[in-house]
mmCIF file of all heavy atoms in Angstrom:
data_model
loop_
_atom_site.group_PDB
_atom_site.id
_atom_site.type_symbol
_atom_site.label_atom_id
_atom_site.label_comp_id
_atom_site.label_asym_id
_atom_site.label_seq_id
_atom_site.Cartn_x
_atom_site.Cartn_y
_atom_site.Cartn_z
ATOM 1 N N MET A 27 13.850 -13.371 18.714
ATOM 2 C CA MET A 27 13.481 -12.666 17.500
ATOM 3 C C MET A 27 12.415 -13.484 16.771
ATOM 4 O O MET A 27 12.527 -14.677 16.655
ATOM 5 C CB MET A 27 14.719 -12.475 16.619
ATOM 6 C CG MET A 27 14.425 -11.784 15.309
ATOM 7 S SD MET A 27 15.886 -11.562 14.328
ATOM 8 C CE MET A 27 16.295 -9.914 14.809
ATOM 9 N N THR A 28 11.393 -12.813 16.271
ATOM 10 C CA THR A 28 10.317 -13.509 15.578
ATOM 11 C C THR A 28 10.669 -13.698 14.108
ATOM 12 O O THR A 28 11.323 -12.867 13.495
ATOM 13 C CB THR A 28 9.003 -12.724 15.684
ATOM 14 O OG1 THR A 28 9.182 -11.452 15.087
ATOM 15 C CG2 THR A 28 8.578 -12.557 17.130
ATOM 16 N N GLU A 29 10.223 -14.801 13.582
ATOM 17 C CA GLU A 29 10.447 -15.099 12.169
ATOM 18 C C GLU A 29 9.419 -14.354 11.322
ATOM 19 O O GLU A 29 8.279 -14.188 11.737
ATOM 20 C CB GLU A 29 10.336 -16.596 11.925
ATOM 21 C CG GLU A 29 11.389 -17.402 12.640
ATOM 22 C CD GLU A 29 11.240 -18.877 12.353
ATOM 23 O OE1 GLU A 29 10.743 -19.251 11.276
ATOM 24 O OE2 GLU A 29 11.650 -19.659 13.218
ATOM 25 N N PRO A 30 9.818 -13.905 10.116
ATOM 26 C CA PRO A 30 8.841 -13.243 9.242
ATOM 27 C C PRO A 30 7.764 -14.226 8.795
ATOM 28 O O PRO A 30 8.018 -15.411 8.634
ATOM 29 C CB PRO A 30 9.671 -12.737 8.073
ATOM 30 C CG PRO A 30 10.954 -13.520 8.118
ATOM 31 C CD PRO A 30 11.136 -13.970 9.531
ATOM 32 N N CYS A 31 6.569 -13.715 8.631
ATOM 33 C CA CYS A 31 5.432 -14.558 8.245
ATOM 34 C C CYS A 31 5.271 -14.516 6.721
ATOM 35 O O CYS A 31 5.359 -13.452 6.114
ATOM 36 C CB CYS A 31 4.155 -14.036 8.907
ATOM 37 S SG CYS A 31 2.688 -14.997 8.511
ATOM 38 N N GLU A 32 5.033 -15.674 6.146
ATOM 39 C CA GLU A 32 4.640 -15.745 4.726
ATOM 40 C C GLU A 32 3.133 -15.719 4.733
ATOM 41 O O GLU A 32 2.476 -16.755 4.873
ATOM 42 C CB GLU A 32 5.191 -17.009 4.089
ATOM 43 C CG GLU A 32 6.694 -17.047 4.026
ATOM 44 C CD GLU A 32 7.218 -18.322 3.419
ATOM 45 O OE1 GLU A 32 6.439 -19.084 2.826
ATOM 46 O OE2 GLU A 32 8.414 -18.570 3.555
ATOM 47 N N HIS A 33 2.574 -14.525 4.625
ATOM 48 C CA HIS A 33 1.137 -14.311 4.831
ATOM 49 C C HIS A 33 0.276 -15.140 3.881
ATOM 50 O O HIS A 33 0.523 -15.187 2.679
ATOM 51 C CB HIS A 33 0.795 -12.828 4.665
ATOM 52 C CG HIS A 33 1.505 -11.942 5.616
ATOM 53 N ND1 HIS A 33 1.303 -11.978 6.969
ATOM 54 C CD2 HIS A 33 2.443 -10.983 5.417
ATOM 55 C CE1 HIS A 33 2.053 -11.088 7.554
ATOM 56 N NE2 HIS A 33 2.769 -10.481 6.647
ATOM 57 N N ARG A 34 -0.722 -15.815 4.482
ATOM 58 C CA ARG A 34 -1.783 -16.497 3.728
ATOM 59 C C ARG A 34 -3.047 -15.730 4.069
ATOM 60 O O ARG A 34 -3.550 -15.815 5.190
ATOM 61 C CB ARG A 34 -1.917 -17.957 4.151
ATOM 62 C CG ARG A 34 -0.822 -18.834 3.631
ATOM 63 C CD ARG A 34 -1.126 -20.285 3.816
ATOM 64 N NE ARG A 34 -2.317 -20.531 4.629
ATOM 65 C CZ ARG A 34 -2.538 -21.607 5.336
ATOM 66 N NH1 ARG A 34 -1.652 -22.554 5.360
ATOM 67 N NH2 ARG A 34 -3.642 -21.750 6.028
ATOM 68 N N LEU A 35 -3.565 -14.968 3.106
ATOM 69 C CA LEU A 35 -4.658 -14.054 3.375
ATOM 70 C C LEU A 35 -6.020 -14.658 3.085
ATOM 71 O O LEU A 35 -6.183 -15.392 2.102
ATOM 72 C CB LEU A 35 -4.486 -12.776 2.546
ATOM 73 C CG LEU A 35 -3.201 -11.999 2.794
ATOM 74 C CD1 LEU A 35 -3.147 -10.774 1.880
ATOM 75 C CD2 LEU A 35 -3.079 -11.585 4.236
ATOM 76 N N GLU A 36 -6.973 -14.329 3.963
ATOM 77 C CA GLU A 36 -8.372 -14.658 3.715
ATOM 78 C C GLU A 36 -9.138 -13.356 3.627
ATOM 79 O O GLU A 36 -8.867 -12.402 4.366
ATOM 80 C CB GLU A 36 -8.948 -15.554 4.812
ATOM 81 C CG GLU A 36 -9.054 -14.901 6.169
ATOM 82 C CD GLU A 36 -9.715 -15.790 7.206
ATOM 83 O OE1 GLU A 36 -10.364 -16.788 6.838
ATOM 84 O OE2 GLU A 36 -9.587 -15.482 8.387
ATOM 85 N N TYR A 37 -10.066 -13.295 2.708
ATOM 86 C CA TYR A 37 -10.860 -12.090 2.474
ATOM 87 C C TYR A 37 -11.922 -11.964 3.562
ATOM 88 O O TYR A 37 -12.662 -12.912 3.844
ATOM 89 C CB TYR A 37 -11.504 -12.175 1.098
ATOM 90 C CG TYR A 37 -12.386 -11.014 0.733
ATOM 91 C CD1 TYR A 37 -11.846 -9.773 0.474
ATOM 92 C CD2 TYR A 37 -13.755 -11.171 0.669
ATOM 93 C CE1 TYR A 37 -12.652 -8.710 0.146
ATOM 94 C CE2 TYR A 37 -14.579 -10.117 0.335
ATOM 95 C CZ TYR A 37 -14.011 -8.882 0.067
ATOM 96 O OH TYR A 37 -14.819 -7.830 -0.250
ATOM 97 N N LEU A 38 -11.996 -10.785 4.190
ATOM 98 C CA LEU A 38 -12.973 -10.538 5.258
ATOM 99 C C LEU A 38 -14.200 -9.779 4.763
ATOM 100 O O LEU A 38 -15.297 -9.990 5.250
ATOM 101 C CB LEU A 38 -12.317 -9.763 6.406
ATOM 102 C CG LEU A 38 -11.185 -10.463 7.128
ATOM 103 C CD1 LEU A 38 -10.591 -9.538 8.175
ATOM 104 C CD2 LEU A 38 -11.661 -11.753 7.749
ATOM 105 N N GLY A 39 -13.994 -8.847 3.820
ATOM 106 C CA GLY A 39 -15.142 -8.088 3.309
ATOM 107 C C GLY A 39 -14.758 -6.685 2.908
ATOM 108 O O GLY A 39 -13.600 -6.282 2.977
ATOM 109 N N ASP A 40 -15.767 -5.930 2.463
ATOM 110 C CA ASP A 40 -15.603 -4.559 1.994
ATOM 111 C C ASP A 40 -16.214 -3.593 2.990
ATOM 112 O O ASP A 40 -17.107 -3.949 3.766
ATOM 113 C CB ASP A 40 -16.331 -4.346 0.662
ATOM 114 C CG ASP A 40 -15.709 -5.116 -0.469
ATOM 115 O OD1 ASP A 40 -14.543 -5.509 -0.360
ATOM 116 O OD2 ASP A 40 -16.407 -5.329 -1.471
ATOM 117 N N GLN A 41 -15.727 -2.359 2.917
ATOM 118 C CA GLN A 41 -16.338 -1.266 3.672
ATOM 119 C C GLN A 41 -16.360 -0.049 2.765
ATOM 120 O O GLN A 41 -15.327 0.357 2.230
ATOM 121 C CB GLN A 41 -15.541 -0.955 4.931
ATOM 122 C CG GLN A 41 -16.122 0.196 5.728
ATOM 123 C CD GLN A 41 -15.228 0.570 6.897
ATOM 124 O OE1 GLN A 41 -14.016 0.487 6.823
ATOM 125 N NE2 GLN A 41 -15.860 0.988 7.980
ATOM 126 N N LYS A 42 -17.555 0.546 2.597
ATOM 127 C CA LYS A 42 -17.673 1.740 1.771
ATOM 128 C C LYS A 42 -17.007 2.900 2.490
ATOM 129 O O LYS A 42 -17.219 3.109 3.684
ATOM 130 C CB LYS A 42 -19.142 2.043 1.516
ATOM 131 C CG LYS A 42 -19.369 3.164 0.529
ATOM 132 C CD LYS A 42 -20.842 3.308 0.220
ATOM 133 C CE LYS A 42 -21.166 4.350 -0.787
ATOM 134 N NZ LYS A 42 -20.509 5.588 -0.754
ATOM 135 N N ALA A 43 -16.193 3.641 1.763
ATOM 136 C CA ALA A 43 -15.488 4.802 2.306
ATOM 137 C C ALA A 43 -15.960 6.052 1.580
ATOM 138 O O ALA A 43 -16.755 5.982 0.655
ATOM 139 C CB ALA A 43 -13.982 4.626 2.167
ATOM 140 N N ASP A 44 -15.445 7.207 2.007
ATOM 141 C CA ASP A 44 -15.815 8.456 1.345
ATOM 142 C C ASP A 44 -15.476 8.417 -0.148
ATOM 143 O O ASP A 44 -16.238 8.881 -0.973
ATOM 144 C CB ASP A 44 -15.090 9.642 1.990
ATOM 145 C CG ASP A 44 -15.603 9.936 3.392
ATOM 146 O OD1 ASP A 44 -16.742 9.550 3.691
ATOM 147 O OD2 ASP A 44 -14.859 10.546 4.162
ATOM 148 N N ARG A 45 -14.317 7.875 -0.448
ATOM 149 C CA ARG A 45 -13.883 7.761 -1.837
ATOM 150 C C ARG A 45 -13.515 6.315 -2.132
ATOM 151 O O ARG A 45 -12.412 5.875 -1.829
ATOM 152 C CB ARG A 45 -12.664 8.665 -2.085
ATOM 153 C CG ARG A 45 -12.976 10.130 -1.908
ATOM 154 C CD ARG A 45 -11.731 10.956 -2.058
ATOM 155 N NE ARG A 45 -10.864 10.682 -0.898
ATOM 156 C CZ ARG A 45 -9.644 11.135 -0.747
ATOM 157 N NH1 ARG A 45 -9.100 11.873 -1.687
ATOM 158 N NH2 ARG A 45 -8.952 10.865 0.323
ATOM 159 N N GLY A 46 -14.427 5.562 -2.658
ATOM 160 C CA GLY A 46 -14.151 4.179 -3.014
ATOM 161 C C GLY A 46 -14.561 3.185 -1.948
ATOM 162 O O GLY A 46 -15.401 3.456 -1.110
ATOM 163 N N VAL A 47 -13.892 2.036 -1.993
ATOM 164 C CA VAL A 47 -14.210 0.937 -1.088
ATOM 165 C C VAL A 47 -12.907 0.396 -0.498
ATOM 166 O O VAL A 47 -11.912 0.255 -1.199
ATOM 167 C CB VAL A 47 -14.923 -0.205 -1.869
ATOM 168 C CG1 VAL A 47 -15.151 -1.408 -0.998
ATOM 169 C CG2 VAL A 47 -16.229 0.288 -2.454
ATOM 170 N N ASN A 48 -12.919 0.110 0.794
ATOM 171 C CA ASN A 48 -11.782 -0.537 1.442
ATOM 172 C C ASN A 48 -12.043 -2.021 1.497
ATOM 173 O O ASN A 48 -13.138 -2.470 1.832
ATOM 174 C CB ASN A 48 -11.580 -0.001 2.864
ATOM 175 C CG ASN A 48 -11.220 1.468 2.890
ATOM 176 O OD1 ASN A 48 -10.654 1.990 1.954
ATOM 177 N ND2 ASN A 48 -11.529 2.115 3.972
ATOM 178 N N LYS A 49 -11.007 -2.826 1.171
ATOM 179 C CA LYS A 49 -11.116 -4.275 1.215
ATOM 180 C C LYS A 49 -10.246 -4.783 2.368
ATOM 181 O O LYS A 49 -9.098 -4.375 2.509
ATOM 182 C CB LYS A 49 -10.644 -4.881 -0.114
ATOM 183 C CG LYS A 49 -11.537 -4.502 -1.279
ATOM 184 C CD LYS A 49 -11.034 -5.136 -2.542
ATOM 185 C CE LYS A 49 -11.818 -4.862 -3.778
ATOM 186 N NZ LYS A 49 -12.888 -4.009 -3.797
ATOM 187 N N TYR A 50 -10.804 -5.675 3.177
ATOM 188 C CA TYR A 50 -10.127 -6.184 4.369
ATOM 189 C C TYR A 50 -9.723 -7.643 4.186
ATOM 190 O O TYR A 50 -10.515 -8.452 3.707
ATOM 191 C CB TYR A 50 -11.040 -6.056 5.584
ATOM 192 C CG TYR A 50 -11.222 -4.634 6.032
ATOM 193 C CD1 TYR A 50 -12.142 -3.802 5.402
ATOM 194 C CD2 TYR A 50 -10.494 -4.119 7.086
ATOM 195 C CE1 TYR A 50 -12.314 -2.495 5.802
ATOM 196 C CE2 TYR A 50 -10.657 -2.797 7.494
ATOM 197 C CZ TYR A 50 -11.570 -2.000 6.851
ATOM 198 O OH TYR A 50 -11.736 -0.707 7.232
ATOM 199 N N TYR A 51 -8.475 -7.960 4.595
ATOM 200 C CA TYR A 51 -7.950 -9.309 4.522
ATOM 201 C C TYR A 51 -7.258 -9.614 5.860
ATOM 202 O O TYR A 51 -6.721 -8.727 6.496
ATOM 203 C CB TYR A 51 -6.901 -9.431 3.401
ATOM 204 C CG TYR A 51 -7.433 -9.103 2.043
ATOM 205 C CD1 TYR A 51 -7.411 -7.787 1.574
ATOM 206 C CD2 TYR A 51 -7.961 -10.083 1.221
ATOM 207 C CE1 TYR A 51 -7.898 -7.474 0.315
ATOM 208 C CE2 TYR A 51 -8.441 -9.771 -0.041
ATOM 209 C CZ TYR A 51 -8.415 -8.466 -0.483
ATOM 210 O OH TYR A 51 -8.906 -8.164 -1.721
ATOM 211 N N ARG A 52 -7.260 -10.903 6.259
ATOM 212 C CA ARG A 52 -6.563 -11.310 7.480
ATOM 213 C C ARG A 52 -5.644 -12.476 7.158
ATOM 214 O O ARG A 52 -5.998 -13.399 6.437
ATOM 215 C CB ARG A 52 -7.547 -11.742 8.548
ATOM 216 C CG ARG A 52 -6.862 -12.220 9.829
ATOM 217 C CD ARG A 52 -7.794 -12.583 10.960
ATOM 218 N NE ARG A 52 -8.873 -13.433 10.493
ATOM 219 C CZ ARG A 52 -10.123 -13.313 10.893
ATOM 220 N NH1 ARG A 52 -10.468 -12.377 11.746
ATOM 221 N NH2 ARG A 52 -11.044 -14.130 10.434
ATOM 222 N N CYS A 53 -4.440 -12.449 7.741
ATOM 223 C CA CYS A 53 -3.501 -13.552 7.602
ATOM 224 C C CYS A 53 -3.926 -14.670 8.549
ATOM 225 O O CYS A 53 -4.094 -14.438 9.743
ATOM 226 C CB CYS A 53 -2.084 -13.085 7.935
ATOM 227 S SG CYS A 53 -0.881 -14.439 7.886
ATOM 228 N N VAL A 54 -4.092 -15.875 8.014
ATOM 229 C CA VAL A 54 -4.529 -16.997 8.844
ATOM 230 C C VAL A 54 -3.391 -17.504 9.734
ATOM 231 O O VAL A 54 -3.648 -18.210 10.705
ATOM 232 C CB VAL A 54 -5.114 -18.145 7.994
ATOM 233 C CG1 VAL A 54 -6.368 -17.700 7.281
ATOM 234 C CG2 VAL A 54 -4.095 -18.665 7.002
ATOM 235 N N LYS A 55 -2.148 -17.122 9.452
ATOM 236 C CA LYS A 55 -1.019 -17.586 10.255
ATOM 237 C C LYS A 55 -0.748 -16.662 11.449
ATOM 238 O O LYS A 55 -0.640 -17.127 12.576
ATOM 239 C CB LYS A 55 0.246 -17.669 9.385
ATOM 240 C CG LYS A 55 0.235 -18.803 8.408
ATOM 241 C CD LYS A 55 1.570 -18.863 7.698
ATOM 242 C CE LYS A 55 1.672 -20.096 6.828
ATOM 243 N NZ LYS A 55 2.986 -20.203 6.216
ATOM 244 N N CYS A 56 -0.633 -15.343 11.205
ATOM 245 C CA CYS A 56 -0.204 -14.435 12.266
ATOM 246 C C CYS A 56 -1.329 -13.537 12.794
ATOM 247 O O CYS A 56 -1.164 -12.886 13.813
ATOM 248 C CB CYS A 56 0.965 -13.567 11.809
ATOM 249 S SG CYS A 56 0.540 -12.349 10.541
ATOM 250 N N GLY A 57 -2.448 -13.452 12.089
ATOM 251 C CA GLY A 57 -3.581 -12.658 12.548
ATOM 252 C C GLY A 57 -3.542 -11.202 12.140
ATOM 253 O O GLY A 57 -4.442 -10.446 12.463
ATOM 254 N N ASP A 58 -2.489 -10.770 11.431
ATOM 255 C CA ASP A 58 -2.434 -9.383 10.949
ATOM 256 C C ASP A 58 -3.586 -9.128 9.992
ATOM 257 O O ASP A 58 -4.006 -10.011 9.250
ATOM 258 C CB ASP A 58 -1.118 -9.101 10.225
ATOM 259 C CG ASP A 58 0.084 -9.017 11.158
ATOM 260 O OD1 ASP A 58 -0.091 -9.208 12.374
ATOM 261 O OD2 ASP A 58 1.194 -8.772 10.662
ATOM 262 N N VAL A 59 -4.098 -7.901 10.007
ATOM 263 C CA VAL A 59 -5.164 -7.496 9.105
ATOM 264 C C VAL A 59 -4.592 -6.494 8.115
ATOM 265 O O VAL A 59 -3.835 -5.597 8.482
ATOM 266 C CB VAL A 59 -6.349 -6.880 9.878
ATOM 267 C CG1 VAL A 59 -7.391 -6.322 8.926
ATOM 268 C CG2 VAL A 59 -6.972 -7.914 10.795
ATOM 269 N N PHE A 60 -4.940 -6.664 6.846
ATOM 270 C CA PHE A 60 -4.482 -5.773 5.782
ATOM 271 C C PHE A 60 -5.704 -5.085 5.175
ATOM 272 O O PHE A 60 -6.700 -5.717 4.884
ATOM 273 C CB PHE A 60 -3.752 -6.559 4.706
ATOM 274 C CG PHE A 60 -2.468 -7.188 5.211
ATOM 275 C CD1 PHE A 60 -2.489 -8.419 5.844
ATOM 276 C CD2 PHE A 60 -1.267 -6.530 5.064
ATOM 277 C CE1 PHE A 60 -1.334 -8.987 6.329
ATOM 278 C CE2 PHE A 60 -0.098 -7.090 5.549
ATOM 279 C CZ PHE A 60 -0.135 -8.320 6.178
ATOM 280 N N VAL A 61 -5.582 -3.759 4.996
ATOM 281 C CA VAL A 61 -6.650 -2.948 4.417
ATOM 282 C C VAL A 61 -6.143 -2.365 3.106
ATOM 283 O O VAL A 61 -5.132 -1.663 3.086
ATOM 284 C CB VAL A 61 -7.076 -1.811 5.374
ATOM 285 C CG1 VAL A 61 -8.228 -1.029 4.761
ATOM 286 C CG2 VAL A 61 -7.448 -2.353 6.749
ATOM 287 N N HIS A 62 -6.818 -2.675 1.994
ATOM 288 C CA HIS A 62 -6.462 -2.139 0.688
ATOM 289 C C HIS A 62 -7.458 -1.049 0.336
ATOM 290 O O HIS A 62 -8.666 -1.282 0.317
ATOM 291 C CB HIS A 62 -6.497 -3.242 -0.373
ATOM 292 C CG HIS A 62 -6.196 -2.721 -1.736
ATOM 293 N ND1 HIS A 62 -7.187 -2.324 -2.599
ATOM 294 C CD2 HIS A 62 -5.023 -2.511 -2.368
ATOM 295 C CE1 HIS A 62 -6.625 -1.889 -3.719
ATOM 296 N NE2 HIS A 62 -5.321 -2.002 -3.603
ATOM 297 N N THR A 63 -6.957 0.165 0.083
ATOM 298 C CA THR A 63 -7.817 1.285 -0.272
ATOM 299 C C THR A 63 -7.867 1.443 -1.782
ATOM 300 O O THR A 63 -6.846 1.360 -2.461
ATOM 301 C CB THR A 63 -7.311 2.603 0.357
ATOM 302 O OG1 THR A 63 -6.021 2.909 -0.187
ATOM 303 C CG2 THR A 63 -7.210 2.520 1.856
ATOM 304 N N ASP A 64 -9.079 1.652 -2.312
ATOM 305 C CA ASP A 64 -9.239 1.864 -3.759
ATOM 306 C C ASP A 64 -8.789 3.243 -4.183
ATOM 307 O O ASP A 64 -8.146 3.404 -5.207
ATOM 308 C CB ASP A 64 -10.707 1.682 -4.172
ATOM 309 C CG ASP A 64 -11.085 0.222 -4.324
ATOM 310 O OD1 ASP A 64 -10.180 -0.622 -4.402
ATOM 311 O OD2 ASP A 64 -12.291 -0.050 -4.356
ATOM 312 N N ASP A 65 -9.101 4.255 -3.362
ATOM 313 C CA ASP A 65 -8.849 5.631 -3.781
ATOM 314 C C ASP A 65 -7.356 5.965 -3.821
ATOM 315 O O ASP A 65 -6.901 6.680 -4.691
ATOM 316 C CB ASP A 65 -9.604 6.622 -2.879
ATOM 317 C CG ASP A 65 -9.185 6.543 -1.430
ATOM 318 O OD1 ASP A 65 -8.753 5.466 -0.993
ATOM 319 O OD2 ASP A 65 -9.294 7.565 -0.727
ATOM 320 N N GLU A 66 -6.558 5.433 -2.900
ATOM 321 C CA GLU A 66 -5.129 5.748 -2.860
ATOM 322 C C GLU A 66 -4.278 4.584 -3.345
ATOM 323 O O GLU A 66 -3.067 4.725 -3.484
ATOM 324 C CB GLU A 66 -4.717 6.103 -1.426
ATOM 325 C CG GLU A 66 -5.427 7.300 -0.856
ATOM 326 C CD GLU A 66 -5.083 7.521 0.611
ATOM 327 O OE1 GLU A 66 -4.369 6.675 1.207
ATOM 328 O OE2 GLU A 66 -5.553 8.507 1.176
ATOM 329 N N SER A 67 -4.891 3.431 -3.556
ATOM 330 C CA SER A 67 -4.166 2.202 -3.915
ATOM 331 C C SER A 67 -3.033 1.917 -2.941
ATOM 332 O O SER A 67 -1.912 1.616 -3.335
ATOM 333 C CB SER A 67 -3.645 2.279 -5.350
ATOM 334 O OG SER A 67 -4.720 2.271 -6.242
ATOM 335 N N LYS A 68 -3.344 2.037 -1.643
ATOM 336 C CA LYS A 68 -2.372 1.732 -0.597
ATOM 337 C C LYS A 68 -2.842 0.536 0.201
ATOM 338 O O LYS A 68 -4.028 0.210 0.222
ATOM 339 C CB LYS A 68 -2.197 2.918 0.353
ATOM 340 C CG LYS A 68 -1.514 4.102 -0.277
ATOM 341 C CD LYS A 68 -1.260 5.161 0.757
ATOM 342 C CE LYS A 68 -0.532 6.345 0.128
ATOM 343 N NZ LYS A 68 -0.304 7.391 1.110
ATOM 344 N N ILE A 69 -1.893 -0.130 0.860
ATOM 345 C CA ILE A 69 -2.208 -1.232 1.738
ATOM 346 C C ILE A 69 -1.698 -0.891 3.132
ATOM 347 O O ILE A 69 -0.534 -0.565 3.314
ATOM 348 C CB ILE A 69 -1.571 -2.541 1.251
ATOM 349 C CG1 ILE A 69 -2.139 -2.918 -0.117
ATOM 350 C CG2 ILE A 69 -1.795 -3.670 2.258
ATOM 351 C CD1 ILE A 69 -1.511 -4.116 -0.757
ATOM 352 N N TYR A 70 -2.598 -0.952 4.112
ATOM 353 C CA TYR A 70 -2.250 -0.701 5.507
ATOM 354 C C TYR A 70 -2.257 -2.020 6.245
ATOM 355 O O TYR A 70 -3.115 -2.860 6.034
ATOM 356 C CB TYR A 70 -3.263 0.272 6.147
ATOM 357 C CG TYR A 70 -3.270 1.632 5.510
ATOM 358 C CD1 TYR A 70 -4.158 1.939 4.494
ATOM 359 C CD2 TYR A 70 -2.359 2.588 5.915
ATOM 360 C CE1 TYR A 70 -4.154 3.188 3.915
ATOM 361 C CE2 TYR A 70 -2.346 3.852 5.341
ATOM 362 C CZ TYR A 70 -3.256 4.149 4.333
ATOM 363 O OH TYR A 70 -3.242 5.387 3.748
ATOM 364 N N ARG A 71 -1.259 -2.182 7.145
ATOM 365 C CA ARG A 71 -1.148 -3.413 7.930
ATOM 366 C C ARG A 71 -1.455 -3.097 9.404
ATOM 367 O O ARG A 71 -0.875 -2.183 9.981
ATOM 368 C CB ARG A 71 0.256 -3.956 7.813
ATOM 369 C CG ARG A 71 0.503 -5.208 8.610
ATOM 370 C CD ARG A 71 1.902 -5.678 8.397
ATOM 371 N NE ARG A 71 2.205 -6.813 9.234
ATOM 372 C CZ ARG A 71 3.398 -7.343 9.355
ATOM 373 N NH1 ARG A 71 4.419 -6.822 8.681
ATOM 374 N NH2 ARG A 71 3.584 -8.364 10.146
ATOM 375 N N ILE A 72 -2.360 -3.866 9.982
ATOM 376 C CA ILE A 72 -2.712 -3.736 11.378
ATOM 377 C C ILE A 72 -2.232 -5.018 12.075
ATOM 378 O O ILE A 72 -2.721 -6.099 11.778
ATOM 379 C CB ILE A 72 -4.238 -3.565 11.552
ATOM 380 C CG1 ILE A 72 -4.717 -2.356 10.762
ATOM 381 C CG2 ILE A 72 -4.595 -3.440 13.025
ATOM 382 C CD1 ILE A 72 -6.206 -2.276 10.586
ATOM 383 N N PRO A 73 -1.245 -4.894 12.960
ATOM 384 C CA PRO A 73 -0.660 -6.105 13.585
ATOM 385 C C PRO A 73 -1.721 -6.887 14.385
ATOM 386 O O PRO A 73 -2.579 -6.297 15.035
ATOM 387 C CB PRO A 73 0.400 -5.551 14.528
ATOM 388 C CG PRO A 73 0.681 -4.180 14.055
ATOM 389 C CD PRO A 73 -0.593 -3.685 13.405
ATOM 390 N N GLY A 74 -1.601 -8.223 14.312
ATOM 391 C CA GLY A 74 -2.481 -9.092 15.073
ATOM 392 C C GLY A 74 -2.033 -9.184 16.520
ATOM 393 O O GLY A 74 -0.922 -8.748 16.879
ATOM 394 N N LEU A 75 -2.861 -9.740 17.364
ATOM 395 C CA LEU A 75 -2.533 -9.917 18.777
ATOM 396 C C LEU A 75 -1.543 -11.061 18.937
ATOM 397 O O LEU A 75 -1.662 -12.110 18.314
ATOM 398 C CB LEU A 75 -3.784 -10.219 19.594
ATOM 399 C CG LEU A 75 -4.818 -9.095 19.645
ATOM 400 C CD1 LEU A 75 -6.062 -9.587 20.386
ATOM 401 C CD2 LEU A 75 -4.246 -7.879 20.343
ATOM 402 N N LYS A 76 -0.551 -10.862 19.797
ATOM 403 C CA LYS A 76 0.428 -11.910 20.097
ATOM 404 C C LYS A 76 -0.162 -12.826 21.155
ATOM 405 O O LYS A 76 -0.704 -12.376 22.153
ATOM 406 C CB LYS A 76 1.728 -11.315 20.615
ATOM 407 C CG LYS A 76 2.333 -10.263 19.690
ATOM 408 C CD LYS A 76 2.968 -10.902 18.498
ATOM 409 C CE LYS A 76 3.721 -9.866 17.711
ATOM 410 N NZ LYS A 76 3.493 -9.873 16.323
ATOM 411 N N LYS A 77 -0.087 -14.138 20.944
ATOM 412 C CA LYS A 77 -0.631 -15.104 21.917
ATOM 413 C C LYS A 77 0.476 -15.855 22.595
ATOM 414 O O LYS A 77 1.508 -16.071 22.102
ATOM 415 C CB LYS A 77 -1.571 -16.064 21.214
ATOM 416 C CG LYS A 77 -2.819 -15.384 20.742
ATOM 417 C CD LYS A 77 -3.757 -16.400 20.187
ATOM 418 C CE LYS A 77 -5.037 -15.712 19.720
ATOM 419 N NZ LYS A 77 -6.022 -16.613 19.226
#
């Protein structure tokens, strides 16, 4: 069983979307990428690759 990660995020950059701007962050520990949307104020998690 994998231990939960205490994410340490680094800012990757912005991407202009149809409505607002998406902000991208990556966890330096596990490699997961997080996308924060301005228009919906939601955060999406994209799992990193397992090594």
